[in-house]
Amino acid sequence: MPADAHLQPSQPQSGLILLGAAGFPGLPTLGDSQAGPLGRSAELVHKYFTARLGVRSALRLFDEPMSASEQVKQMKEYLLASPDGSRVFIYYIGHGLMIGGAGGASEYVLACRDTSHQAKLGTSITVAAIGELLKSVAARLDVVIILDCCFAAMAFSALQVSCRSLSLFAASSRYKTAIASPAARLTQFTDCLYQALEAGSPAHAERLSLSELEMLVREKMRQNYPDTGVDPEVHAPKYGLGDPRHEPIFPNPAFQHRGAAATPEGAVNGAYLIVQIEPEKRRSQRPRYHVKAWMLIEPAPEQYWGDLIWDTDSGNEGKPVAQGQLAQLLLALHRGAADWLLARDIYSPDFWIELVVPVELLDEGFDQLAGVNG
């Protein structure tokens, strides 16, 4: 089936929790020195998520004078009230701090307006507390955490929560400081993220994933801040068959429908995702299947090259896949194939998917998978 032959699925209902602060009166070394870029970045984020992404509700705690514990309480109430299956974005803009603990252990925290220099740990929002909150809604919600602060990837270790879907978009690595010059209009990360979202990319599908957005933000960072820019990182602390880093989430303004433009440089005569599904030899009441997927390209007629990009022996802890999981796996393989092509500078949005299936699966509607497009 041609991979662009199906309609884009409706996006899940979304929510936004906006955290952080423009000023930090209890932290003498920070104070209000970066209030301008931090505050304007928060306004821009709120505007984009409500106007462009269409979030149904937003919990705005940015620059609120309430205590960290009260903010965590409000976050919990908001998450518990969020509809099943919805996607919640938690966006923090401010300062990430490493607080030393007993025995040399350190805690990564997010400063808020109420954070005090004398008691940073007790007056900041700990990432561990956010991780605990997510446990109460792990099976119901898709959560995307975006941290625009120093050492943002440090949050990864505290977010090992088995959520239905959980991803982390960090403005900086665990060793780097994110930059917000006091004279700047915005923080560097939110500036580049917003530019990437507004411009989009004609090389990608109708909606951008976090992994695609990461590459676009890196490009913007190198263009706008060649001397001081810091590369962002995208992580998925825990996930099942589908990797949330490849979920199509953000509208791509530069998306071009098939046939709308000339074939871009780097295209090939043909690109094929071949998926072989074989029944497990040891039969049971619930059939299970071994799956292998190859990505092949045709640079010239009757000439092919490619790679094995996934198989159950190595990609699923060696376990076969249940029949009910095959559709979700095929969506993940489709996204993985697109990433494989882009990583090799091959722009072929109309690649084909060829399925090799046993007779018992011929009636499955694999050719009607929603979300396989572009």
Side-chain angles (χ1 to χ4, degrees), residues 140-367:
R140 301 192 301 106
L141 304 179
D142 298 329
V143 179
V144 179
I145 298 176
I146 305 175
L147 300 182
D148 185 358
C149 55
C150 296
F151 320 118
M154 186 69 73
F156 175 78
S157 58
L159 293 173
Q160 300 302 313
V161 182
S162 296
C163 279
R164 167 178 140 143
S165 172
L166 173 61
S167 48
L168 168 67
F169 198 172
S172 56
S173 73
R174 59 192 299 123
Y175 306 111
K176 293 284 187 177
T177 57
I179 297 176
S181 172
R185 189 177 72 89
L186 302 166
T187 66
Q188 288 188 0
F189 171 76
T190 294
D191 181 23
C192 292
L193 175 61
Y194 181 72
Q195 288 189 39
L197 288 169
E198 285 292 284
S201 169
H204 294 86
E206 192 169 356
R207 285 188 175 266
L208 297 169
S209 67
L210 287 172
S211 60
E212 292 165 342
L213 199 53
E214 177 192 20
M215 291 188 290
L216 296 177
V217 172
R218 288 186 180 221
E219 291 174 6
K220 293 293 182 184
M221 193 69 72
R222 290 183 175 89
Q223 293 170 9
N224 300 343
Y225 307 100
D227 299 323
T228 59
V230 177
D231 284 340
E233 296 183 1
V234 172
H235 299 277
K238 286 195 175 182
Y239 58 90
L241 285 174
D243 188 335
R245 291 171 293 189
H246 305 308
E247 288 289 335
I249 299 176
F250 301 94
N252 179 9
F255 171 71
Q256 296 176 331
H257 290 275
R258 187 181 181 188
T263 303
E265 183 179 354
V268 295
N269 291 326
Y272 305 85
L273 171 63
I274 300 178
V275 182
Q276 176 179 290
I277 303 174
E278 292 185 330
E280 185 181 26
K281 292 182 180 179
R282 182 173 59 86
R283 306 297 285 173
S284 62
Q285 284 186 330
R286 296 184 176 181
R288 294 184 176 274
Y289 299 88
H290 294 283
V291 181
K292 290 186 178 182
W294 294 265
M295 197 63 214
L296 301 179
I297 66 168
E298 182 185 5
E302 303 306 321
Q303 294 181 13
Y304 295 90
W305 67 275
D307 289 319
L308 175 69
I309 63 171
W310 200 86
D311 71 272
T312 44
D313 291 338
S314 59
N316 196 41
E317 300 179 351
K319 299 176 182 178
V321 178
Q323 184 171 345
Q325 297 174 313
L326 289 174
Q328 183 183 0
L329 175 57
L330 287 173
L331 288 175
L333 292 175
H334 170 257
R335 292 189 292 270
D339 288 344
W340 184 93
L341 289 167
L342 288 172
R344 289 156 180 79
D345 294 325
I346 300 168
Y347 304 108
S348 183
D350 58 343
F351 68 86
W352 287 74
I353 300 176
E354 181 175 331
L355 300 177
V356 182
V357 301
V359 173
E360 65 207 60
L361 295 180
L362 288 178
D363 291 333
E364 291 286 332
F366 294 140
D367 60 334

